[in-house]
Amino acid sequence: MTEIDWAYVASIADKVARSTAAAWAVVEKDDVKQEILLHAYERRPLIEQNYTEDFLWKFCRTAARQYASRERDARDVEDDRYYYTPAEARAVLGTFVYTDEELSGAIGQRDDLLKCRVTDNVVTARLDATKAIARLPKSAQEVLMRRYVYGLPAADDAERKAGNRAVDALARQMNRDIRSR
């Protein structure tokens, strides 16, 4: 069993925390460092098995990125601006079967597919989803189109879970995009 030099881990965590705080406006350096060190302490056996400088840098960067992402998502929920939920993202994907002309002609009428009144909000959400889906990885785009636009059933449990993760990623990206305007 390898003995962990926590001062060395803390020095790497400090450097990673500084660069993460500079890149992510929603986090402070000391908070990021504390989160990295907590993450490292909770996963001591993993670090002991892979105790190399390269691994420690990757480990710290990953922990910092995950923390900053969680903080950004929490801020997005609490910032009093509109927040798309995964259910709304999933519903707007259903509108992709309509052309823009068909959707604009349906505004103000009942929609049999979505069982709701078609409003300008659907058009806005569709535009936001179109922009956001282009920023997702190709694999996520493909599963979203296959499952929620074309309506094909999941081949297995793994594909079902991938579809759910892709919808969550789409909702997060839609929220990031509307906050960058």
Side-chain angles (χ1 to χ4, degrees):
M1 183 163 78
T2 305
E3 182 69 25
I4 298 174
D5 179 2
W6 288 105
Y8 180 63
V9 174
S11 70
I12 293 174
D14 188 65
K15 294 171 187 167
V16 170
R18 184 179 304 115
S19 67
T20 302
W24 298 68
V26 296
V27 294
E28 298 291 327
K29 175 188 159 275
D30 292 336
D31 294 337
V32 176
K33 181 178 178 181
Q34 180 179 353
E35 189 67 23
I36 291 169
L37 291 174
L38 175 63
H39 191 74
Y41 184 75
E42 291 172 344
R43 289 158 183 81
R44 288 182 312 275
L46 178 65
I47 292 175
E48 289 170 349
Q49 292 171 0
N50 303 291
Y51 194 66
T52 65
E53 183 176 6
D54 187 48
F55 176 80
L56 289 174
W57 278 97
K58 289 178 184 176
F59 182 89
C60 290
R61 278 193 297 265
T62 300
R65 205 173 317 115
Q66 289 173 346
Y67 171 70
S69 181
R70 281 193 313 270
E71 289 297 305
R72 179 183 54 199
D73 290 346
R75 183 216 48 204
D76 289 349
V77 170
E78 299 168 355
D79 71 355
D80 291 337
R81 296 188 68 189
Y82 190 78
Y83 184 79
Y84 287 109
T85 64
E88 291 169 324
R90 188 178 293 113
V92 80
L93 286 170
T95 69
F96 282 19
V97 297
Y98 298 122
T99 65
D100 290 339
E101 292 79 27
E102 289 172 331
L103 192 62
S104 65
I107 291 179
Q109 300 174 10
R110 291 204 59 80
D111 179 13
D112 293 334
L113 178 65
L114 298 176
K115 305 289 189 252
C116 66
R117 189 167 183 81
V118 179
T119 66
D120 291 340
N121 297 342
V122 172
V123 175
T124 303
R126 181 177 156 142
L127 292 171
D128 290 341
T130 302
K131 180 180 175 185
I133 201 168
R135 294 178 181 223
L136 296 178
K138 284 287 186 201
S139 59
Q141 292 177 23
E142 290 169 2
V143 75
L144 287 172
M145 296 303 286
R146 202 171 41 252
R147 291 281 322 277
Y148 301 105
V149 177
Y150 304 135
L152 299 174
D156 54 17
D157 194 46
E159 188 175 325
R160 182 186 59 77
K161 289 178 182 178
N164 291 338
R165 285 191 305 270
V167 168
D168 292 345
L170 176 63
R172 279 192 307 273
Q173 187 61 51
M174 289 168 69
N175 289 318
R176 288 178 194 144
D177 288 346
I178 63 174
R179 279 158 180 77
S180 66
R181 294 180 193 159

